[in-house]
Amino acid sequence: MDELVSLCKRRGFIYPASEIYGGINGFWDYGPLGTALKNNLRDRWWRDMVKRPPLGPDGNEISIVGLDSAIIQNAKVWEASGHVGGFNDPMVDCRETKARYRADHVLCLGVKGESGGQIYAFIEGEDDSLAAARKKLNKYIKRDVADDELDTCALTDLSADELAITVGPDTKAVGTLTEPRQFNLMFESSTGAIKSEDSKVYLRPETAQGIFLNFGNVVDTMRVKVPFGIAQIGKAFRNEVTPRNFIFRSREFEQMEIEWFCHEDEAEQWFEFWCDVRSKWWQSIGLTGDNILMRKHDDDELAHYAKEGCGTFDIEYRFPFTFPGFGELEGVAHRGNFDLSRHQEFSKKKLSYFDQPKNERYIPHVIEPSAGLSRGTLALLCEAYTPDPERASKVYMAFHPSIAPIQAAVFPLVGKDGMPEIAHKLWSELRERWDVVTDIKQSIGKRYARMDEAGCPFCFTIDGDTASDQAVTVRHRDTQAQERIALDKISAFMAEHVG
Ligand code: GAP
């Protein structure tokens, strides 16, 4: 990860936010290449889900419409959605170091101390911290702890008495931890000039609620009929207790969400459909078979809105920091009719739907494929990162050509003999349709190396023969193979390989 983070900074993919002021934990800025990559991922999702959605289980076209709702909504929305009461993480603070931990993310090692009482040390889940916790226990009981003496449990399972004899990862003293407290993840702000309880608002923690709020508007103003979907891409904000792993868990991020409204009897079928569609979609943009899997949530992981018995599926990716395990990329949830029912109850506005063919009025059930755009961008970066000690750049980014931030580069071999003019003409033509750069500076080897790190799949080089044979050399990023191609065949080549 360190190498990837450093490449992202060096090549203009992602920078720490507010860097010149020392940064701000949990926030990131996307540089020119990162923005292009993220936008390509976003546009691809919009094209494949909204403009040209997949065919349904019966082979007929399904209908999905787009939405762009406000980030700040009436505060009652978040009471109805359950976020004010239920969107919490348990956290513990260390009084000595002021560090804060997600109590459900840390594991405790316990062992009987000299006086007979249990002593606990806690760790943050990685192998080396396990060893560190054990070392700490050895110190407290003044001998080596044997494997069969160890007792492992979650920090959240400890009683107050047990917490009082727990030692944190960076402290010397025992008992510096506070009891776990529930911490609401929503960012608060206020509207208007006077700040009071009544002016309190929240930054949305998910884009989904904006969709539920507009369900009635969309049904009334568009010619949609259940089953149909509403899609939205946008920013979401969560005051995560422990933002970490680069852009994997940040406090400001983007989501790509679909709320699929259907009849309760058909929900199970649509749930299967969306799990299948969404996992294939990630594969279609280059996340290969072994690194991606579908996982059903354990019952105790269910979100407050998930329908009991149906659960949620995660589409997970094997990130370097989760290896050999996987981390969530997208959740496909069966939300039942929880959200529309709650908004109907809290707003007192009817949100039921009259289904003409079925001659039945009901509140539709919802299947929700909810993907992280920021997390998806990280998965693409991780998947693309390919060390290759043999080449000048030592590493190349093997993006799928269709989502690469630069899809082709056009280079004049040298800046004379008419080569820059031919390069400029070709670049102007190709950029009408693709993301193409041109560059005249430095040796051709250095220019190729730069494009390898940027993940550009094809470089077209105009050389001394081009003016006479009307052909250029195309260099393939992954194999470094070079071949001659006619100038008037380049567009067709790009259409075939990039799309
Ligand atoms: N509307 C449902 C919902 O928001 P979620 O599982 O909490 O469900 C959906 O979030 C997706 O949003 C996740 O699968 C993940 O990709 C992304 N996501 C959630 N929290 C995130 C964070 N703190 N940083 C980056 N991405 C996040």
Side-chain angles (χ1 to χ4, degrees):
M1 270 317 278
D2 290 347
E3 286 168 23
L4 176 66
V5 173
S6 129
L7 181 140
C8 282
K9 170 88 197 295
R10 193 169 72 242
R11 280 290 165 250
F13 283 97
I14 296 167
Y15 312 122
S18 308
E19 196 181 8
I20 59 169
Y21 289 100
I24 168 167
N25 197 7
F27 296 87
W28 298 91
D29 292 338
Y30 288 75
L33 292 193
T35 306
L37 178 66
K38 179 160 68 68
N39 287 353
N40 286 348
L41 181 61
R42 177 197 70 188
D43 295 347
R44 177 70 175 262
W45 186 91
W46 194 260
R47 189 196 76 183
D48 293 348
M49 298 297 124
V50 184
K51 285 189 178 169
R52 291 193 330 222
L55 298 178
D58 60 1
N60 288 323
E61 270 158 23
I62 61 169
S63 151
I64 302 196
V65 292
L67 185 80
D68 189 358
S69 69
I71 285 174
I72 293 179
Q73 303 277 357
N74 190 312
K76 289 203 186 79
V77 168
W78 309 107
E79 285 171 33
S81 69
H83 284 87
V84 169
F87 197 53
N88 302 314
D89 279 340
M91 62 170 196
V92 288
D93 287 316
C94 174
R95 294 185 197 93
E96 187 186 316
T97 62
K98 308 287 174 239
R100 176 165 284 180
Y101 306 96
R102 272 277 295 271
D104 53 339
H105 277 187
V106 292
L107 202 63
C108 284
L109 288 188
V111 66
K112 286 247 181 309
E114 279 198 322
S115 55
Q118 196 96 334
I119 301 254
Y120 290 92
F122 85 87
I123 54 175
E124 291 202 82
E126 287 155 24
D127 288 352
D128 53 345
S129 55
L130 186 81
R134 202 160 170 164
K135 224 162 130 192
K136 209 156 241 191
L137 285 178
N138 289 344
K139 203 174 126 209
Y140 276 95
I141 65 164
K142 302 191 182 71
R143 63 180 171 81
D144 282 347
V145 181
D147 281 350
D148 56 5
E149 287 181 279
L150 281 178
D151 172 25
T152 322
C153 65
L155 190 65
T156 34
D157 294 338
L158 296 185
S159 66
D161 287 350
E162 288 167 331
L163 256 180
I165 48 166
T166 297
V167 58
D170 304 309
T171 51
K172 291 192 183 65
V174 173
T176 61
L177 301 170
T178 62
E179 280 192 40
R181 279 181 293 141
Q182 290 300 329
F183 172 75
N184 193 289
L185 297 187
M186 281 195 294
F187 279 101
E188 287 178 19
S189 186
S190 64
T191 50
I194 299 165
K195 210 170 171 180
S196 71
E197 237 345 85
D198 290 342
S199 68
K200 188 151 100 182
V201 289
Y202 302 97
L203 302 193
R204 68 179 176 204
E206 59 173 11
T207 64
Q209 295 304 322
I211 298 182
F212 297 123
L213 298 178
N214 285 290
F215 170 74
N217 283 337
V218 172
V219 168
D220 291 347
T221 54
M222 308 298 292
R223 288 166 180 270
V224 285
K225 289 194 171 25
V226 170
F228 75 96
I230 304 180
Q232 166 154 244
I233 299 178
K235 292 246 171 167
F237 302 83
R238 297 183 189 177
N239 197 2
E240 298 283 0
V241 178
T242 48
R244 65 182 48 186
N245 292 328
F246 200 24
I247 55 172
F248 179 80
R249 189 170 339 120
S250 48
R251 291 179 166 145
E252 175 177 340
F253 56 97
E254 280 173 273
Q255 293 185 312
M256 310 186 285
E257 298 199 293
I258 299 170
E259 306 303 324
W260 179 257
F261 301 95
C262 60
H263 189 281
E264 179 174 11
D265 294 348
E266 292 166 6
E268 204 47 48
Q269 181 196 8
W270 284 114
F271 183 67
E272 304 285 325
F273 169 79
W274 281 111
C275 291
D276 184 50
V277 165
R278 295 300 308 143
S279 59
K280 286 192 178 131
W281 185 81
W282 284 109
Q283 293 176 49
S284 77
I285 53 167
L287 300 188
T288 51
D290 275 0
N291 283 342
I292 195 156
L293 66 72
M294 304 285 294
R295 186 180 74 88
K296 192 174 193 299
H297 271 205
D298 298 334
D299 283 347
D300 60 358
E301 283 180 274
L302 285 190
H304 62 265
Y305 49 74
K307 192 169 152 52
E308 243 175 82
C310 292
T312 301
F313 265 78
D314 276 352
I315 299 174
E316 299 190 334
Y317 181 73
R318 188 152 51 185
F319 292 96
F321 47 83
T322 58
F323 190 89
F326 290 74
E328 178 184 329
L329 190 58
E330 169 162 353
V332 182
H334 183 181
R335 293 181 79 123
N337 60 7
F338 175 85
D339 302 270
L340 288 180
S341 304
R342 292 276 289 193
H343 286 306
Q344 175 165 287
E345 181 191 333
F346 278 66
S347 69
K348 313 265 182 289
K349 297 280 178 331
K350 216 180 214 156
L351 290 175
S352 59
Y353 169 83
F354 184 68
D355 191 325
Q356 269 177 339
K358 291 189 170 74
N359 196 23
E360 185 188 344
R361 180 168 282 283
Y362 56 85
I363 298 187
H365 278 230
V366 170
I367 306 300
E368 176 197 65
S370 169
L373 174 55
S374 323
R375 233 177 240 187
T377 306
L378 179 59
L380 294 178
L381 286 164
C382 293
E383 183 79 13
Y385 189 87
T386 316
D388 180 358
E390 302 302 317
R391 63 174 79 195
S393 56
K394 309 287 182 229
V395 60
Y396 64 101
M397 298 298 282
F399 296 119
H400 193 280
S402 66
I403 47 101
I406 301 174
Q407 293 168 320
V410 178
F411 296 146
L413 187 60
V414 290
K416 55 181 186 181
D417 300 335
M419 292 179 224
E421 290 74 16
I422 302 176
H424 188 270
K425 184 164 176 287
L426 178 60
W427 168 72
S428 306
E429 283 164 16
L430 294 180
R431 71 197 292 242
E432 288 294 319
R433 180 162 162 195
W434 295 283
D435 295 316
V436 187
V437 297
T438 182
D439 185 4
I440 200 162
K441 289 192 209 94
Q442 293 189 312
S443 71
I444 194 72
K446 284 199 173 133
R447 281 180 275 170
Y448 285 157
R450 205 178 161 81
M451 285 301 111
D452 280 350
E453 283 194 312
C456 168
F458 305 109
C459 295
F460 299 102
T461 301
I462 285 86
D463 56 28
D465 295 332
T466 302
S468 54
D469 71 359
Q470 291 297 299
V472 303
T473 298
V474 54
R475 174 188 181 267
H476 296 249
R477 173 197 63 202
D478 298 351
T479 58
Q480 301 184 78
Q482 301 195 9
E483 56 179 319
R484 207 69 185 157
I485 174 174
L487 266 174
D488 62 4
K489 295 268 182 336
I490 293 179
S491 283
F493 174 94
M494 287 292 288
E496 184 191 338
H497 291 92
V498 180

